[in-house]
Amino acid sequence: MTVYLNGQFMPIEEAHIPVLDRGFIFGDGVYEVIPVYSRSAFRLAEHLKRLQFSLDGIRLTNPHSDQEWTKLITDLIERNTAEDQYLYLHITRGVAKRDHAFPNPSVQPTVFMMSNPLLTPPAALLTSGVGAVSAPDNRWLRCDIKAISLLPNVLLRQMAIDAGCAETILIRDDDFMTEGAASNIFLVKNGVLLAPPKDNLMLPGITYDVLLEIAAAHNIPHEVRKIAKDELFNTDELLLTSSTKEVLAITTLDNKAVGDGKPGVMFAKLHKHYQDYKRDVMRKT
């Protein structure tokens, strides 16, 4: 695997970061994940816009222009062999003595990028769906920043793994659902697709946007609004979306069946439209 670190492409085995990097010491940085289809980065402009939003959110100057990012990302794709990839970008506030205060502005950010093959869910999961658990959303109040300090998400996601499930669905103190520990969550009730709104309590996923665009394009009834905890536990269908999982049906929640315990009609419809979109648009951008 070829990676990029601070101006150089190299084998991942040769990539090293000083122990005083603020990403290592404080988790002081942001990241971005970009899917690549047929060796072309999908919605790169939108991903770079989200990256800029995250950098602005932690008051870190973007180390590259959009044009420079595009060149680096294109080079990284070309240096790795998979036709479909997912790129991971990681930017920290750089290397400085351990002090909570920001370092001198002359300290250069650390920029790291790597590529892995993009592996989509196997057919068995599309047929059976996946399980989920629910938990209080005990994260900070700026979940819209794609920060590398993901310990709360790690612990919440591990709750699902420990229960033999795929995801943890998060509920805030006001009894409204926000998202999954590593995904966005949609409900289906009476034939209407429901999505929580973009705000500071959730990370706005690019696949979240795509699914809502598909719903609009195919006249599928849908609403974007706050979703109460009671609605979550009385829904007809549950869906999760992410760049790597695409669209999956959640068929159990807290060991209870969602609907009839099988992927539903809305999932089948949206999954088909998503695969058509991937074939006709994602692979031709």
Side-chain angles (χ1 to χ4, degrees):
M1 178 197 301
T2 298
V3 302
Y4 173 89
L5 178 62
N6 293 337
Q8 292 185 308
F9 291 95
M10 64 190 71
I12 192 169
E13 296 80 9
E14 296 179 10
H16 301 285
I17 295 173
V19 295
L20 286 180
D21 189 278
R22 288 178 63 94
F24 178 72
I25 296 294
F26 292 117
D28 184 2
V30 300
Y31 74 103
E32 186 62 44
V33 176
I34 305 173
V36 173
Y37 297 96
S38 300
R39 307 190 69 77
S40 177
F42 176 62
R43 292 200 172 181
L44 182 55
E46 287 88 339
H47 283 282
L48 292 178
K49 181 179 179 180
R50 187 170 66 175
L51 176 63
Q52 184 64 60
F53 178 87
S54 295
L55 289 166
D56 290 343
I58 69 166
R59 296 169 58 187
L60 179 58
T61 300
N62 196 327
H64 296 297
S65 67
D66 283 359
Q67 293 78 12
E68 290 169 339
W69 277 119
T70 300
K71 176 66 166 59
L72 290 171
I73 287 166
T74 301
D75 286 352
L76 184 63
I77 293 170
E78 291 176 353
R79 291 167 187 265
N80 288 278
T81 58
E83 285 296 300
D84 292 355
Q85 306 174 26
Y86 75 90
L87 306 184
Y88 176 82
L89 283 62
H90 183 107
I91 302 100
T92 81
R93 212 177 299 274
V95 180
K97 69 176 184 178
R98 189 184 187 281
D99 186 344
H100 284 67
F102 291 173
N104 188 291
S106 64
V107 172
Q108 295 298 305
T110 295
V111 179
F112 172 72
M113 295 193 299
M114 68 177 175
S115 168
N116 284 283
L118 178 59
L119 304 176
T120 53
L125 283 187
L126 300 176
T127 300
S128 66
V130 298
V133 298
S134 65
D137 190 347
N138 57 11
R139 303 171 300 167
W140 70 328
L141 298 178
R142 288 305 312 273
C143 298
D144 52 338
I145 296 174
K146 211 166 173 65
I148 63 173
S149 46
L150 286 172
L151 182 57
N153 297 70
V154 168
L155 296 174
L156 289 163
R157 177 73 188 288
Q158 190 60 39
M159 290 177 60
I161 303 305
D162 291 343
C165 295
E167 183 59 297
T168 302
I169 299 177
L170 309 180
I171 301 166
R172 280 282 170 175
D173 292 338
D174 57 2
D175 285 340
F176 284 93
M177 185 198 79
T178 51
E179 59 184 342
S183 65
N184 290 122
I185 303 294
F186 292 79
L187 277 66
V188 180
K189 188 67 177 180
N190 298 324
V192 179
L193 181 69
L194 303 175
K198 292 181 179 180
D199 58 20
N200 62 297
L201 299 180
M202 67 171 276
L203 182 69
I206 303 300
T207 309
Y208 167 102
D209 291 339
V210 170
L211 205 67
L212 289 176
E213 290 170 16
I214 286 173
H218 294 276
N219 298 312
I220 296 172
H222 59 283
E223 297 177 17
V224 177
R225 61 170 175 78
K226 296 188 77 172
I227 297 173
K229 176 181 177 179
D230 289 345
E231 293 181 282
L232 172 65
F233 289 99
N234 291 281
T235 189
D236 298 329
E237 296 183 47
L238 269 177
L239 310 176
L240 70 80
T241 65
S242 73
S243 292
T244 54
K245 291 184 175 62
E246 298 184 339
V247 185
L248 275 177
I250 297 172
T251 49
T252 65
L253 177 60
D254 292 340
N255 292 316
K256 296 180 180 178
V258 175
D260 63 3
K262 300 176 182 177
V265 173
M266 183 69 80
F267 165 74
K269 187 182 300 184
L270 287 170
H271 181 262
K272 179 185 182 303
H273 289 319
Y274 187 90
Q275 295 305 312
D276 291 344
Y277 184 85
K278 183 164 72 170
R279 179 196 64 217
D280 298 336
V281 178
M282 292 179 175
R283 296 194 180 281
K284 296 181 180 179
T285 55

